[in-house]
């Protein structure tokens, strides 16, 4: 089953800055920032994949880069993948997945507030309002530069 998922995605995004890694039984796809929206949309809309369930979005500050990992699940096909995109510290902006999965919007809002990554097209993100932090909070508390 997992080989078919990888095959389908690699065929569709051949030569488009997509890398596949199988690590400890977990399927991980590294996708370039410019292709993340197309890649996620294909994962959701392609019938043979059917990643209709958005599990989570995780952000990791690696000091020199910011890694975002989307965790997607297909309930019908019983397979899951992780999709990772790496951002440079001077380009902390990415296309939103909020229109594909409503749950993604809240994860993006949390990451925006805690790490400072902007998600273009997410209507929930407003720079002047805080969701988790107090209204007078300055900075991004989960960044390594904050500590």
């Amino acid at each position: 089953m997992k080989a078919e998922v990888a095959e389908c995605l690699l065929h569709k995004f051949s030569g488009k800055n997509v890398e596949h890694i199988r690590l400890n039984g977990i399927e991980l796809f590294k996708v370039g920032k410019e292709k993340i929206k197309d890649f996620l949309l294909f994962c959701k809309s392609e019938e043979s994949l059917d990643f209709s369930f958005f599990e989570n979005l995780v952000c990791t500050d690696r000091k020199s880069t910011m890694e975002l990992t989307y965790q997607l699940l297909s309930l019908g096909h019983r397979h899951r993948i992780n999709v990772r995109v790496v951002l440079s510290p001077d380009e902390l902006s990415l296309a939103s997945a909020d229109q594909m999965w409503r749950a993604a919007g809240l994860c993006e809002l949390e990451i925006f507030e805690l790490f400072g990554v902007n998600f273009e097209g997410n209507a929930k993100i407003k720079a002047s309002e805080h969701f988790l932090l107090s209204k007078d909070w300055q900075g991004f508390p989960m960044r390594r530069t904050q500590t």
Side-chain angles (χ1 to χ4, degrees), residues 112-132:
F112 169 74
E113 219 171 297
L114 299 177
F115 290 93
V117 176
N118 186 41
F119 292 89
E120 299 162 10
N122 185 328
K124 295 176 185 77
I125 294 177
K126 296 177 184 166
S128 61
E129 295 181 18
H130 285 294
F131 172 66
L132 298 170

Side-chain angles (χ1 to χ4, degrees), residues 66-118:
M66 199 74 74
E67 293 180 358
L68 287 98
T69 305
Y70 297 82
Q71 298 169 334
L72 307 177
L73 173 66
S74 171
L75 296 168
H77 298 298
R78 295 183 163 203
H79 51 241
R80 69 172 24 104
I81 60 169
N82 289 340
V83 180
R84 180 170 296 157
V85 61
V86 178
L87 303 176
S88 65
D90 56 331
E91 291 186 23
L92 294 178
S93 183
L94 192 62
S96 175
D98 182 47
Q99 299 298 314
M100 292 174 254
W101 299 280
R102 291 177 70 185
L106 288 176
C107 291
E108 291 173 353
L109 181 58
E110 180 181 1
I111 290 170
F112 169 74
E113 219 171 297
L114 299 177
F115 290 93
V117 176
N118 186 41

Side-chain angles (χ1 to χ4, degrees), residues 30-81:
K30 291 184 177 182
V31 179
K33 173 185 172 176
E34 68 286 345
K35 285 291 172 196
I36 191 67
K37 189 171 185 176
D38 293 339
F39 191 89
L40 293 174
L41 186 58
F42 184 75
C43 286
K44 183 174 183 184
S45 62
E46 173 59 36
E47 259 184 59
S48 65
L49 300 175
D50 186 35
F51 286 106
S52 57
F53 189 79
F54 176 90
E55 288 187 291
N56 203 5
L57 175 58
V58 179
C59 185
T60 307
D61 185 348
R62 301 273 185 215
K63 285 190 180 179
S64 61
T65 61
M66 199 74 74
E67 293 180 358
L68 287 98
T69 305
Y70 297 82
Q71 298 169 334
L72 307 177
L73 173 66
S74 171
L75 296 168
H77 298 298
R78 295 183 163 203
H79 51 241
R80 69 172 24 104
I81 60 169

